[in-house]
Amino acid sequence: MIVTVTPNPAEDLTWHVARLLPGDTHRVQAGASRAGGKGINVARVLAAEGHDVLALATAGGSTGARLADDLARSGLRHALVPIAGETRRSIAIVDEASGDTSIFNEHGAALSPAEASELVAEATRLGRTASVVVISGSLPPGLDPDAIAALVAELIAADVAVVVDTSGPGLLAAARAGATVLKPNRDELAAVTGESDPVAGARVLLDAGARLVVVSLGPDGLLVLDATAAGRGIRARLPQPLHGNATGAGDAAVAAIAAALEEHPELRAAADAEPADSTAARIAMARRATAWSASAVLMPLAGALSPDHAALEDEVVVTTLEPREPA
């Protein structure tokens, strides 16, 4: 089983506009509302692809009630930790003329010490029953990065693979705790490491203790680096970038990573050894993550893949970087 943990979920609101003109008034079709947040999006993708998955998140206030109702209607297996604060909202405006998406994320309510402790305790309890745990999204006020690090370390000690997709101090804390995979995007990586080159930034996280680092490069695909002695990187991309709603692209990539960890246990040993078949497994993971990420761009809402994702996987171009070659 795969468990996803979303400390700061959101009600995702999406509108499509023919052309977005700043400062102007726009008439649009009715928007879409659904339970979201990065870990919930990851769980939706995994469930649609036939994986046994459970989504853990918080929920509070009227927004949290709508989030809970949507999860119940969707049939996605889930567990919710109640909080006193209001669950946040995330607004996506898709400009159909340019293909660009503008996103407005509320910060989210602070967790009380008791709420933060309950979330971590439930993540630990559920995580111990899983083969892979995904911790995705921003950390709300009140949830200390050290708590995430302790969660990561405890699950790793229990032989559970842990994927972390967050930013800022939480990303570095997860690296120091020995996370199996970290999945920052280029900007998040530069912000936490001070390195503008994603290869150099990824190596900072590997040196801190992470086993694998997958860096999203947007339309340019992604980069995979590992902590083995060889230290070679993998660059994966489509020949031509796809345009659409990129809101859930990173989450689709995380779903692919989690699925690969479940299917290829040798990926978990990247920090300690380099089995003969681990390179092939990393390449397969990079291909799938690139294809799933790109196919998500073609969908109107986050948490879904285009039916063409399997065909896209065959189009992915993979190259190998030498240990000290920049991206």
Side-chain angles (χ1 to χ4, degrees), residues 73-99:
R73 287 194 302 270
S74 73
L76 182 67
R77 196 152 61 103
H78 62 279
L80 297 176
V81 173
I83 62 172
E86 188 82 19
T87 296
R88 69 192 179 108
R89 293 166 297 179
S90 177
I91 299 169
I93 309 296
V94 182
D95 184 340
E96 295 181 341
S98 67

Side-chain angles (χ1 to χ4, degrees), residues 52-291:
D52 181 16
V53 61
L54 183 147
L56 172 65
T58 58
S62 58
T63 308
R66 291 194 296 272
L67 180 141
D69 288 345
D70 182 72
L71 286 174
R73 287 194 302 270
S74 73
L76 182 67
R77 196 152 61 103
H78 62 279
L80 297 176
V81 173
I83 62 172
E86 188 82 19
T87 296
R88 69 192 179 108
R89 293 166 297 179
S90 177
I91 299 169
I93 309 296
V94 182
D95 184 340
E96 295 181 341
S98 67
D100 294 330
T101 302
S102 300
I103 302 174
F104 303 85
N105 289 326
E106 294 180 347
H107 290 293
L111 302 187
S112 70
E115 291 165 348
S117 295
E118 185 178 355
L119 175 62
V120 172
E122 188 68 359
T124 302
R125 184 184 70 82
L126 292 171
R128 286 182 172 275
T129 69
S131 58
V132 182
V133 171
V134 175
I135 303 170
S136 272
S138 60
L139 304 185
L143 184 59
D144 193 275
D146 288 343
I148 295 300
L151 171 62
V152 171
E154 186 162 351
L155 293 174
I156 291 293
D159 198 29
V160 178
V162 183
V163 184
V164 180
D165 178 14
T166 190
S167 58
L171 186 65
L172 194 54
R176 291 170 175 158
T180 313
V181 182
L182 299 181
K183 207 292 299 169
N185 62 35
R186 189 199 305 262
D187 292 340
E188 292 165 344
L189 184 63
V192 80
T193 65
E195 297 284 356
S196 58
D197 173 37
V199 172
R203 290 192 176 115
V204 170
L205 297 182
L206 293 171
D207 290 344
R211 301 185 185 188
L212 285 167
V213 177
V214 180
V215 186
S216 296
L217 302 175
D220 297 324
L222 55 80
L223 181 71
V224 180
L225 276 92
D226 66 82
T228 62
R232 291 186 177 87
I234 296 168
R235 179 77 176 270
R237 59 177 178 83
L238 285 173
Q240 298 293 332
L242 302 179
H243 298 285
N245 179 11
T247 309
D251 303 331
V254 171
I257 292 165
L261 286 168
E262 190 173 51
E263 296 167 16
H264 302 284
E266 63 271 21
L267 286 170
R268 307 182 191 187
D272 308 310
E274 190 172 14
D277 54 353
S278 68
T279 298
R282 290 197 300 276
I283 290 174
M285 179 185 72
R287 284 186 179 278
R288 181 182 294 181
T290 303

